[in-house]
Short mmCIF file of all heavy atoms in Angstrom, two decimals:
data_model
loop_
_atom_site.label_atom_id
_atom_site.label_comp_id
_atom_site.label_asym_id
_atom_site.label_seq_id
_atom_site.Cartn_x
_atom_site.Cartn_y
_atom_site.Cartn_z
N GLU Q 229 229.44 76.79 -135.46
CA GLU Q 229 229.94 75.66 -134.70
C GLU Q 229 228.97 74.50 -134.87
O GLU Q 229 227.75 74.68 -134.75
CB GLU Q 229 230.08 76.02 -133.22
CG GLU Q 229 230.76 74.93 -132.41
CD GLU Q 229 231.11 75.37 -131.00
OE1 GLU Q 229 230.60 76.42 -130.57
OE2 GLU Q 229 231.89 74.65 -130.35
N VAL Q 230 229.50 73.32 -135.15
CA VAL Q 230 228.67 72.13 -135.35
C VAL Q 230 228.47 71.45 -134.00
O VAL Q 230 229.43 70.99 -133.38
CB VAL Q 230 229.32 71.16 -136.35
CG1 VAL Q 230 228.45 69.93 -136.54
CG2 VAL Q 230 229.59 71.85 -137.68
N LEU Q 231 227.20 71.39 -133.52
CA LEU Q 231 226.88 70.80 -132.22
C LEU Q 231 225.98 69.59 -132.42
O LEU Q 231 225.11 69.59 -133.29
CB LEU Q 231 226.15 71.82 -131.34
CG LEU Q 231 226.88 73.12 -131.04
CD1 LEU Q 231 225.97 74.08 -130.28
CD2 LEU Q 231 228.16 72.87 -130.26
N ASP Q 232 226.19 68.56 -131.60
CA ASP Q 232 225.26 67.42 -131.65
C ASP Q 232 224.10 67.68 -130.68
O ASP Q 232 224.02 68.75 -130.06
CB ASP Q 232 225.98 66.09 -131.39
CG ASP Q 232 226.60 66.01 -130.00
OD1 ASP Q 232 226.15 66.75 -129.09
OD2 ASP Q 232 227.52 65.19 -129.82
N ASP Q 233 223.21 66.69 -130.53
CA ASP Q 233 222.03 66.88 -129.67
C ASP Q 233 222.40 67.19 -128.22
O ASP Q 233 221.64 67.84 -127.51
CB ASP Q 233 221.13 65.65 -129.74
CG ASP Q 233 220.48 65.49 -131.11
OD1 ASP Q 233 220.47 66.49 -131.86
OD2 ASP Q 233 220.02 64.38 -131.42
N GLY Q 234 223.56 66.71 -127.78
CA GLY Q 234 224.02 66.98 -126.42
C GLY Q 234 224.83 68.25 -126.31
O GLY Q 234 225.44 68.50 -125.28
N LYS Q 235 224.84 69.04 -127.35
CA LYS Q 235 225.58 70.32 -127.40
C LYS Q 235 227.09 70.13 -127.37
O LYS Q 235 227.83 71.04 -127.03
CB LYS Q 235 225.15 71.27 -126.28
CG LYS Q 235 223.67 71.59 -126.27
CD LYS Q 235 223.28 72.40 -127.47
CE LYS Q 235 221.81 72.81 -127.39
NZ LYS Q 235 221.30 73.25 -128.68
N LYS Q 236 227.57 68.91 -127.73
CA LYS Q 236 229.01 68.69 -127.84
C LYS Q 236 229.48 69.23 -129.18
O LYS Q 236 228.87 68.97 -130.22
CB LYS Q 236 229.32 67.20 -127.74
CG LYS Q 236 230.82 66.91 -127.84
CD LYS Q 236 231.11 65.44 -127.73
CE LYS Q 236 232.60 65.21 -127.92
NZ LYS Q 236 232.94 63.83 -128.11
N SER Q 237 230.59 69.95 -129.14
CA SER Q 237 231.11 70.56 -130.36
C SER Q 237 231.83 69.54 -131.24
O SER Q 237 232.57 68.68 -130.76
CB SER Q 237 232.09 71.69 -130.00
OG SER Q 237 232.62 72.24 -131.19
N HIS Q 238 231.57 69.67 -132.54
CA HIS Q 238 232.26 68.83 -133.53
C HIS Q 238 232.98 69.72 -134.55
O HIS Q 238 233.02 69.41 -135.75
CB HIS Q 238 231.26 67.90 -134.22
CG HIS Q 238 230.69 66.88 -133.27
ND1 HIS Q 238 231.32 65.69 -133.00
CD2 HIS Q 238 229.58 66.91 -132.50
CE1 HIS Q 238 230.60 65.01 -132.12
NE2 HIS Q 238 229.54 65.74 -131.79
N GLY Q 239 233.48 70.83 -134.06
CA GLY Q 239 234.24 71.71 -134.92
C GLY Q 239 233.39 72.80 -135.55
O GLY Q 239 232.29 73.10 -135.09
N PHE Q 240 233.95 73.37 -136.60
CA PHE Q 240 233.31 74.52 -137.22
C PHE Q 240 233.14 74.27 -138.71
O PHE Q 240 233.86 73.45 -139.30
CB PHE Q 240 234.17 75.78 -137.01
CG PHE Q 240 234.30 76.14 -135.56
CD1 PHE Q 240 235.34 75.62 -134.80
CD2 PHE Q 240 233.38 76.97 -134.95
CE1 PHE Q 240 235.46 75.94 -133.46
CE2 PHE Q 240 233.49 77.29 -133.61
CZ PHE Q 240 234.53 76.78 -132.86
N GLU Q 241 232.18 74.99 -139.29
CA GLU Q 241 231.95 74.86 -140.72
C GLU Q 241 231.62 76.23 -141.30
O GLU Q 241 231.07 77.09 -140.61
CB GLU Q 241 230.79 73.91 -141.01
CG GLU Q 241 229.46 74.42 -140.49
CD GLU Q 241 228.30 73.47 -140.74
OE1 GLU Q 241 228.55 72.34 -141.19
OE2 GLU Q 241 227.15 73.88 -140.47
N PHE Q 242 231.99 76.43 -142.56
CA PHE Q 242 231.60 77.65 -143.27
C PHE Q 242 230.19 77.49 -143.79
O PHE Q 242 229.81 76.40 -144.24
CB PHE Q 242 232.55 77.93 -144.44
CG PHE Q 242 233.90 78.41 -144.01
CD1 PHE Q 242 235.02 77.64 -144.21
CD2 PHE Q 242 234.04 79.66 -143.41
CE1 PHE Q 242 236.27 78.09 -143.83
CE2 PHE Q 242 235.29 80.11 -143.02
CZ PHE Q 242 236.40 79.32 -143.23
N VAL Q 243 229.42 78.57 -143.76
CA VAL Q 243 228.08 78.59 -144.34
C VAL Q 243 228.18 79.27 -145.70
O VAL Q 243 228.42 80.49 -145.77
CB VAL Q 243 227.09 79.35 -143.42
CG1 VAL Q 243 225.70 79.40 -144.05
CG2 VAL Q 243 227.06 78.72 -142.04
N GLU Q 244 228.06 78.49 -146.75
CA GLU Q 244 228.28 79.02 -148.10
C GLU Q 244 227.32 80.15 -148.45
O GLU Q 244 227.68 81.08 -149.19
CB GLU Q 244 228.17 77.89 -149.13
CG GLU Q 244 229.35 76.93 -149.10
CD GLU Q 244 230.69 77.62 -149.34
OE1 GLU Q 244 230.77 78.50 -150.23
OE2 GLU Q 244 231.66 77.28 -148.64
N ALA Q 245 226.10 80.10 -147.95
CA ALA Q 245 225.09 81.09 -148.35
C ALA Q 245 225.31 82.45 -147.70
O ALA Q 245 224.79 83.46 -148.20
CB ALA Q 245 223.70 80.58 -148.02
N ASP Q 246 226.05 82.52 -146.61
CA ASP Q 246 226.20 83.77 -145.87
C ASP Q 246 227.63 84.29 -145.97
O ASP Q 246 228.55 83.69 -145.42
CB ASP Q 246 225.86 83.57 -144.39
CG ASP Q 246 224.40 83.25 -144.18
OD1 ASP Q 246 223.57 83.60 -145.05
OD2 ASP Q 246 224.07 82.63 -143.15
N VAL Q 247 227.78 85.40 -146.68
CA VAL Q 247 229.10 86.02 -146.83
C VAL Q 247 229.12 87.27 -145.97
O VAL Q 247 228.21 88.11 -146.06
CB VAL Q 247 229.39 86.37 -148.31
CG1 VAL Q 247 230.80 86.93 -148.44
CG2 VAL Q 247 229.21 85.14 -149.19
N HIS Q 248 230.17 87.39 -145.16
CA HIS Q 248 230.25 88.49 -144.20
C HIS Q 248 231.42 89.41 -144.49
O HIS Q 248 232.43 88.98 -145.05
CB HIS Q 248 230.45 87.93 -142.79
CG HIS Q 248 229.24 87.29 -142.22
ND1 HIS Q 248 229.20 86.76 -140.95
CD2 HIS Q 248 227.99 87.11 -142.73
CE1 HIS Q 248 228.00 86.28 -140.71
NE2 HIS Q 248 227.26 86.47 -141.78
N ILE Q 249 231.26 90.66 -144.08
CA ILE Q 249 232.38 91.60 -144.01
C ILE Q 249 232.70 91.75 -142.53
O ILE Q 249 231.80 91.82 -141.69
CB ILE Q 249 232.03 92.96 -144.66
CG1 ILE Q 249 233.20 93.91 -144.61
CG2 ILE Q 249 230.80 93.60 -144.03
CD1 ILE Q 249 234.28 93.57 -145.57
N ILE Q 250 234.00 91.77 -142.23
CA ILE Q 250 234.43 91.82 -140.83
C ILE Q 250 235.15 93.14 -140.58
O ILE Q 250 236.18 93.42 -141.21
CB ILE Q 250 235.36 90.64 -140.52
CG1 ILE Q 250 234.64 89.33 -140.83
CG2 ILE Q 250 235.83 90.69 -139.07
CD1 ILE Q 250 235.52 88.13 -140.86
N CYS Q 251 234.60 93.94 -139.70
CA CYS Q 251 235.18 95.25 -139.42
C CYS Q 251 236.61 95.09 -138.89
O CYS Q 251 236.84 94.32 -137.95
CB CYS Q 251 234.33 96.02 -138.42
SG CYS Q 251 234.96 97.69 -138.09
#
Side-chain angles (χ1 to χ4, degrees):
E229 187 170 14
V230 180
L231 301 174
D232 63 22
D233 292 343
K235 302 293 185 196
K236 180 180 177 192
S237 178
H238 294 275
F240 297 90
E241 65 181 7
F242 287 113
V243 178
E244 288 302 318
D246 293 336
V247 184
H248 287 181
I249 181 74
I250 303 167
C251 182

